[in-house]
Amino acid sequence: MLWSLVILLILLIMVMVACVVVSGKRDEQNCRQVVHLIWTAIIAAACYTAFLLVPPDYYGLAVFMDGLYFLSTDWLVVNLLLFTTAYTGLEPPTKLPRYIIVLLALADSISFVVNTFTRHMFELEAEMMGMAGDCYWNVHFKQPHYIHRLFVYSIVLYSLLILLYRFIKEPSIYKKKYGGILVQTLAVVGLNILCAVWDTKFDYSVVLYAFIAIAICYFTLFASPRELLEKIYATVIGDSVLGVIAYDKNGKCIGVNRSAGKFFPGDGEIHALAEEYLSNWEMAHQDDYSTVIAEEQTIIRDNKKKYIYVTYQRFSDEKGRNLGCCFQFENRTEIVKRFREEQYRITHDMLTGLLNRNAFEEAAEKLLAHVEEPYYMVCSNIKDFKLVNELYGAEIGDKLLIAQAEMINRALDESTVIARIFADKFCILMPKRRFNEQEVLEQIEDLKNLNLVSSFKLHYYVGVYEIQDVKEPIWTMYDKAIMAIDTIRGNYEQSICYYEDELLEHIMKEKEVLGELDRAMAEKQFCMFLQPQISNDGAIVGAEALVRWIHPEKGMISPGIFIPTLEKAGLIHKLDLYMWESAAQKLEEWKKLGRENFSISVNISTKDFYYLDICETFRQISEKYDFDVKKLKLEITESALMENVEENMKTLDGLHALGYDIEIDDFGSGYSSLGMLKDIHADILKIDMIFLQETQNVKRSSTILKNIITMSKELGMPVITEGVETKEQVEFLMKVGCDMFQGYYFAKPMKVESFEEVYCRA
Ligand code: C2E
Ligand code: CA
Ligand code: CA
C-alpha cells in the first residue's frame, strides 16, 4: 500500500512537472497563476513522499517533513485562491485581504517548522505495517492543528463559492469555463472530508491536490479556451448581422447562418438555393482566380431595393489544396440610403429641392463639356424680395420661392440644369432653342396671379446670357446674366433682358459715376440749367430746372447718363435737394430784383419719396428762402405718383397746403395715364414728348394729344407740352388748345446766366 502510494505520487509529480513545462510555453491568461499552483502541488507531493519514506529511527526528520507537507498545503490553497480570483475576475479591489491571507499562511508555516521541536501541532508514532515490515507514521493531531485545517478549508470554501457564483451568473456557453474546475474542486474537498472522517492511514489529500492542479491546468489552458472559442465562433457566425454561407471543396453547402437565410427567401430548400447561387457566381467569375472577390449587388425583397455587399472567399491549405469557400453578405441598404440622403443634402437646396450653388457649378460644367448647340444662362430675381419677407413673413416668401421653383422645374430634362443659387436668385442652363420669351412672360404672370402677396406689386426680372465660350467660368456666365438684370432693375415695364457686351461698358460707366460722385458734389460740379417755357401768347412764363454735370475732364455730362445710376444707388435725393435749393435761391434773387413773373419747375424723382419727407423738405425750403411758393413748380412723373397712390395723395395734399403747384411730368409715357387723373389732384399736366416724335402713327398721336388736352381743359388743368421742335408742332398744339410749350424750337436748356441775359433783359 505504502509503495503504491509512493509510486503514484512520483508519477503525479512527473505529470505535474510536464504540466509546468507545457504551460510555460503558452501565453493564455492566468498561465502564471496556474504554474504557481502546480509548483506548490509538486512541493506538497514531494514533501509528503519524502515523509512517507523516512525510516522509523528518524523521528525528528519525519516530524519536520510532515510539517513541511502541511505547510506546503497552506501555500497550495493560497495559490488556489489567487488563481480562482484571477480566473473569475473577482479580485478584491485592494491588496489588503491578500496580505492578510499570506501573513496567516506564513504564521501557520512557522508554526509547523517550530512543531519539529515543540510538537504543539501534531505528534508522530511509528508503526510497523504488513509482512514486509514497512514503517508507517501514525499522526496524532493536537488542538492547534485544527486552526490550520480551518484556515485551509476556509480558503478552499471561499474559492468554491467564487467559482459557483460565476457558474450561476454566466451565460450557458461560458458555464463550462467554470464548471469543470468547480466539479474537480468539489470532488477533492468531498474526498478530503471522507479521508478525515474515516481517519485513513495515509493522507490522500495530497493525491487529490495533485489531481486538482493537473485538472485546473487542463481546463484553464487547454480544454475550456478551445471549446469556448469554438462555441463563441459558432455563436458569432450564427447570429452575425453579416450573412455567411460556407461550402466544402465540392461546392456543397455546409452552413448558412441566420442572416444569410434572409437573402434566400422563397420556397426552395435553402442549401439548394445557396449551391445554385455559388454555381452562378462561379460562372460569372470564371476568369477571376483571386482568393477574395467583392462586389455590390442589388436585390429586390418585398418590393424594396436592397444593396448588398458580397464577399466571396476561397480557402486552401498550406499546400494550396482547395478546402472550400464562403460568401459573406453585408446588407448596406441603410448605409447607401444614408449616403444618398447625405449626398442629396450636400447638393440640393432644402427649401425647393433644386440643385444648390455648388452642385449647379459641377452639373453645368459637366453638361457644357458636351453641348453642340447654342446655350443660354438664364437667371431670375424678384424685385424687392427682401421687402416681401419683411412685410409678409419668411413663410410667405418661402411659398413664393417654392412656387417659382416648381414652375421652373417643369423645364427640367437632361439638356438643362436648374438651381437656386441664393435667396430669390434662380438659374437655368438651357439650350437656346428651348427658351421662349412668351412662355417665360406667361409663367411670370401665373406667379403673380398666385396672389400670395396681396397689394404688393410683384415684379420678376429675367436676365439672359447667350454663352459664347463654353469654357468660360460658370460664375462669369452667371454674373453676365445678373448684369443684364441690373440694367432693368427698377423698371416695371420690362421683365426680360439679354446680356450684351455694351452692358459691361454701361456698368463700368455706372461704377465710374458712383466713384466720382462725392467729389463732384463737394466741388460743386453739378449745376442748374434752365429751359424756357413759353405760353401760347408767346410770352415766357418760366423754365424747367435741369441738372448738368460739368466734369473737369469730360466736359458736360447729360443727366440721362448719371441720373439712373444715382437712382439705382439711392443717391438721387442728395442731388435733387441741391437742385431744389438752387431753384429756390434763384427765385429769391429774382424776387429781390423784381423779376417776379418767372416760375421754375423742378424735378422730383420716384426715389425721393423713399428717402425724403417731401412735404417737410419743401416746408423747410420755403422757410429758408424768401420767394413765392407758387413760382416753384414741382414736376412729379406719373409713374412716381402711381407707385403708392394713397401715400402720395397725402404728400400732394401736404404740398398743396404749403401752396406749391404740382405738375404731372411725362404724362402719357406710363400705362395708367388717363385713369389716374380722376384720383390725383395735380395742377398742371405736362404731356410727354413721345406724342410729338415722328412715328408711323402721326395721325393717331395727334388724336390722342387733342383728346388729352380737351380732357384736361374739362378738368380745369392747364397743359404744357414738352419736346416741341418745329413750327408745325406749335401751330397744331395752339389749334388744339395747348397752354404752354417747352422745346428746342424755343430754346435748349441753358446756363442760368445765359437765360437771364436773354429773357430777363427782354
Ligand atoms: P424730363 O424731366 O422729361 O426733362 C426734359 C428733357 O427733355 C430734358 O433732357 C430736356 O433737355 C429734353 N428736351 C427739352 N426739349 C426737347 C426737345 O425739343 N427735343 C428733345 N429731344 N428733347 C428735349 P435732360 O435735361 O437730358 O434730362 C433728361 C431727364 O433727366 C429729365 O427728363 C429728367 O427726368 C431727368 N432730370 C434732369 N434733371 C434732373 C434733376 O435735377 N433731378 C431729377 N430727379 N431728374 C432730372
Ligand atoms: Ca421734367
Ligand atoms: Ca418730362
Side-chain angles (χ1 to χ4, degrees):
M1 192 63 193
L2 172 75
W3 288 107
S4 331
L5 184 61
V6 168
I7 290 166
L8 177 64
L9 283 173
I10 291 171
L11 279 174
L12 284 173
I13 288 171
M14 280 156 66
V15 173
M16 284 192 283
V17 169
C19 282
V20 170
V21 172
V22 178
S23 308
K25 288 183 185 153
R26 301 184 71 91
D27 53 1
E28 237 88 19
Q29 264 184 332
N30 312 122
C31 199
R32 200 164 51 92
Q33 282 92 345
V34 172
V35 170
H36 289 175
L37 184 68
I38 302 173
W39 269 123
T40 40
I42 291 172
I43 291 168
C47 290
Y48 193 65
T49 313
F51 160 68
L52 286 179
L53 296 177
V54 175
D57 307 337
Y58 294 87
Y59 180 80
L61 180 65
V63 174
F64 178 67
M65 286 319 292
D66 204 17
L68 277 189
Y69 161 65
F70 283 125
L71 155 177
S72 59
T73 58
D74 278 339
W75 296 103
L76 183 80
V77 292
V78 167
N79 276 329
L80 177 71
L81 182 66
L82 292 180
F83 162 75
T84 43
T85 49
Y87 188 62
T88 53
L90 292 172
E91 280 156 320
T94 66
K95 293 219 159 155
L96 188 65
R98 184 196 281 211
Y99 292 145
I100 292 172
I101 287 172
V102 169
L103 267 177
L104 288 175
L106 208 60
D108 202 38
S109 302
I110 293 169
S111 176
F112 276 113
V113 175
V114 174
N115 181 67
T116 316
F117 313 104
T118 57
R119 324 269 155 81
H120 65 285
M121 300 286 275
F122 63 88
E123 262 181 336
L124 298 178
E125 185 196 339
E127 223 177 80
M128 296 317 269
M129 194 175 65
M131 307 288 280
D134 290 334
C135 169
Y136 149 69
W137 293 101
N138 211 346
V139 189
H140 297 289
F141 295 114
K142 304 253 176 94
Q143 291 286 342
H145 192 271
Y146 293 101
I147 298 172
H148 159 76
R149 286 202 182 175
L150 183 69
F151 175 71
V152 170
Y153 285 139
S154 307
I155 290 180
V156 172
L157 185 67
Y158 185 59
S159 304
L160 270 175
L161 287 176
I162 290 178
L163 286 168
L164 192 65
Y165 172 78
R166 268 287 183 238
F167 180 76
I168 293 167
K169 285 275 168 188
E170 288 301 309
S172 61
I173 62 165
Y174 282 88
K175 282 202 195 305
K176 186 90 188 277
K177 179 176 169 185
Y178 303 106
I181 299 171
L182 183 66
V183 170
Q184 289 286 328
T185 320
L186 268 176
V188 169
V189 173
L191 284 172
N192 199 289
I193 290 169
L194 282 182
C195 287
V197 171
W198 286 333
D199 198 13
T200 49
K201 272 203 187 90
F202 300 108
D203 186 349
Y204 293 110
S205 315
V206 63
V207 178
L208 300 172
Y209 283 137
F211 270 121
I212 204 174
I214 294 167
I216 283 177
C217 176
Y218 172 73
F219 281 112
T220 319
L221 304 182
F222 300 94
S224 98
R226 196 182 312 132
E227 211 170 294
L228 190 61
L229 274 182
E230 277 164 15
K231 275 191 186 161
I232 292 172
Y233 263 139
T235 313
V236 165
I237 292 172
D239 291 352
S240 169
V241 287
L242 283 183
V244 180
I245 307 179
Y247 301 86
D248 70 7
K249 64 185 172 56
N250 301 316
K252 204 167 154 34
C253 176
I254 49 173
V256 179
N257 77 348
R258 218 168 302 159
S259 298
K262 291 184 197 151
F263 297 110
F264 299 101
D267 312 323
E269 206 272 317
I270 194 135
H271 283 238
L273 290 171
E275 281 159 20
E276 188 188 326
Y277 184 82
L278 177 65
S279 64
N280 288 341
W281 174 281
E282 283 176 340
M283 198 102 76
H285 297 85
Q286 50 188 327
D287 299 328
D288 194 340
Y289 297 104
S290 326
T291 347
V292 179
I293 309 170
E295 68 178 40
E296 296 264 1
Q297 286 186 357
T298 45
I299 54 171
I300 306 288
R301 288 284 170 269
D302 308 326
N303 288 327
K304 279 188 204 130
K305 207 176 197 182
K306 286 194 188 296
Y307 298 89
I308 313 293
Y309 190 75
V310 184
T311 313
Y312 165 84
Q313 189 171 3
R314 287 194 184 104
F315 298 101
S316 47
D317 65 7
E318 60 283 357
K319 288 187 179 149
R321 284 175 300 208
N322 178 23
L323 294 178
C325 62
C326 86
F327 279 113
Q328 280 177 40
F329 302 94
E330 187 187 353
N331 186 352
R332 290 202 176 168
T333 314
E334 271 309 306
I335 299 171
V336 170
K337 216 172 97 193
R338 247 179 288 138
F339 175 76
R340 298 212 167 153
E341 278 168 5
E342 187 59 33
Q343 206 62 13
Y344 184 85
R345 252 197 299 279
I346 293 170
T347 54
H348 285 73
D349 165 41
M350 283 300 124
L351 179 68
T352 60
L354 298 183
L355 290 184
N356 63 18
R357 199 188 150 88
N358 291 343
F360 175 75
E361 182 177 2
E362 203 174 300
E365 274 171 1
K366 220 188 223 167
L367 177 70
L368 288 177
H370 306 290
V371 299
E372 279 165 355
E373 58 176 321
Y375 254 73
Y376 271 171
M377 176 74 88
V378 182
C379 292
S380 78
N381 188 17
I382 304 175
K383 182 176 156 49
D384 296 329
F385 182 68
K386 233 171 93 185
L387 215 59
V388 174
N389 276 330
E390 272 164 28
L391 292 175
Y392 299 89
E395 211 176 303
I396 294 288
D398 285 353
K399 275 190 184 162
L400 213 59
L401 295 176
I402 291 169
Q404 191 182 350
E406 276 169 7
M407 192 163 287
I408 299 174
N409 214 24
R410 286 188 215 142
L412 186 66
D413 66 5
E414 63 283 358
S415 69
T416 60
V417 183
I418 301 178
R420 175 170 166 236
I421 304 300
F422 166 73
D424 59 332
K425 291 197 173 63
F426 291 86
C427 198
I428 314 174
L429 181 72
M430 56 163 29
K432 184 178 174 179
R433 68 184 153 82
R434 291 197 54 204
F435 184 78
N436 180 328
E437 220 183 283
Q438 198 47 45
E439 227 169 70
V440 173
L441 291 174
E442 278 165 18
Q443 286 188 343
I444 290 176
E445 268 328 291
D446 289 348
L447 284 174
K448 286 183 187 169
N449 291 338
L450 287 177
N451 273 332
L452 282 169
V453 284
S454 54
S455 82
F456 188 88
K457 213 165 124 198
L458 262 183
H459 195 75
Y460 288 83
Y461 293 118
V462 176
V464 184
Y465 167 60
E466 181 169 356
I467 294 166
Q468 305 298 324
D469 172 12
V470 290
K471 293 208 173 68
E472 202 172 12
I474 297 296
W475 299 116
T476 310
M477 300 177 185
Y478 171 81
D479 284 344
K480 286 180 175 172
I482 290 291
M483 239 180 242
I485 288 180
D486 284 343
T487 58
I488 51 167
R489 211 180 283 279
N491 178 343
Y492 274 114
E493 275 88 74
Q494 204 179 341
S495 283
I496 303 179
C497 186
Y498 294 81
Y499 172 88
E500 284 153 17
D501 282 336
E502 294 84 78
L503 272 181
L504 199 64
E505 233 168 80
H506 180 87
I507 286 166
M508 296 313 287
K509 217 175 240 169
E510 275 190 352
K511 291 232 164 82
E512 212 178 286
V513 167
L514 285 174
E516 289 183 82
L517 189 77
D518 280 342
R519 215 180 87 197
M521 284 278 207
E523 294 179 2
K524 295 225 157 69
Q525 291 175 12
F526 291 104
C527 86
M528 181 171 75
F529 269 45
L530 293 174
Q531 184 176 33
Q533 295 170 332
I534 316 292
S535 76
N536 54 13
D537 59 8
I540 169 142
V541 288
E544 179 178 0
L546 294 160
V547 68
R548 293 292 178 265
W549 183 352
I550 315 292
H551 196 278
E553 287 126 41
K554 294 173 193 154
M556 195 167 76
I557 305 174
S558 82
I561 291 176
F562 58 86
I563 288 207
T565 309
L566 294 185
E567 282 185 330
K568 220 189 288 173
L571 294 168
I572 186 69
H573 61 283
K574 291 190 181 176
L575 178 70
D576 278 348
L577 204 58
Y578 170 74
M579 288 292 286
W580 302 337
E581 289 211 28
S582 305
Q585 205 175 7
K586 190 52 57 188
L587 286 170
E588 182 185 63
E589 195 188 313
W590 285 347
K591 186 181 173 185
K592 278 185 193 142
L593 296 169
R595 301 170 183 165
E596 278 175 90
N597 45 341
F598 294 154
S599 64
I600 298 181
S601 308
V602 290
N603 288 288
I604 298 178
S605 157
T606 321
K607 294 281 168 7
D608 292 336
F609 287 88
Y610 295 118
Y611 295 99
L612 293 174
D613 179 343
I614 304 263
C615 279
E616 178 56 21
T617 309
F618 279 99
R619 194 190 59 73
Q620 284 172 7
I621 289 176
S622 63
E623 241 168 43
K624 188 168 167 191
Y625 303 97
D626 176 26
F627 66 98
D628 176 8
V629 284
K630 276 270 172 272
K631 294 290 173 202
L632 186 63
K633 300 203 179 340
L634 313 181
E635 292 193 5
I636 307 174
T637 59
E638 57 167 32
S639 43
L641 287 170
M642 289 316 288
E643 211 157 272
N644 200 344
V645 180
E646 244 167 71
E647 274 290 302
N648 293 347
M649 291 299 283
K650 276 189 210 147
T651 310
L652 294 198
D653 289 345
L655 291 170
H656 275 140
L658 291 169
Y660 288 99
D661 272 356
I662 314 287
E663 286 180 30
I664 298 181
D665 197 4
D666 300 345
F667 185 81
S669 66
Y671 47 88
S672 54
S673 307
L674 291 173
M676 71 174 289
L677 282 181
K678 70 175 181 348
D679 302 319
I680 290 191
H681 310 289
D683 305 283
I684 299 164
L685 200 65
K686 192 167 186 184
I687 301 175
D688 197 79
M689 60 185 84
I690 50 158
F691 298 107
L692 294 181
Q693 274 155 7
E694 284 206 42
T695 59
Q696 287 163 326
N697 289 316
V698 183
K699 192 124 204 320
R700 285 172 71 92
S701 292
S702 356
T703 315
I704 296 171
L705 250 181
K706 198 161 72 188
N707 283 300
I708 293 175
I709 294 169
T710 316
M711 194 180 61
S712 64
K713 293 263 127 158
E714 272 166 29
L715 289 169
M717 290 168 87
V719 182
I720 174 167
T721 308
E722 60 181 334
V724 182
E725 290 180 346
T726 63
K727 196 169 160 226
E728 292 73 38
Q729 287 171 341
V730 180
E731 280 166 359
F732 167 76
L733 288 166
M734 294 261 260
K735 204 169 77 196
V736 293
C738 179
D739 307 282
M740 288 165 283
F741 317 99
Q742 181 185 335
Y744 293 171
Y745 176 71
F746 301 98
K748 289 198 169 181
M750 58 187 81
K751 284 187 182 159
V752 177
E753 302 82 64
S754 316
F755 180 89
E756 286 172 325
E757 212 167 284
V758 179
Y759 301 100
C760 296
R761 228 183 262 162

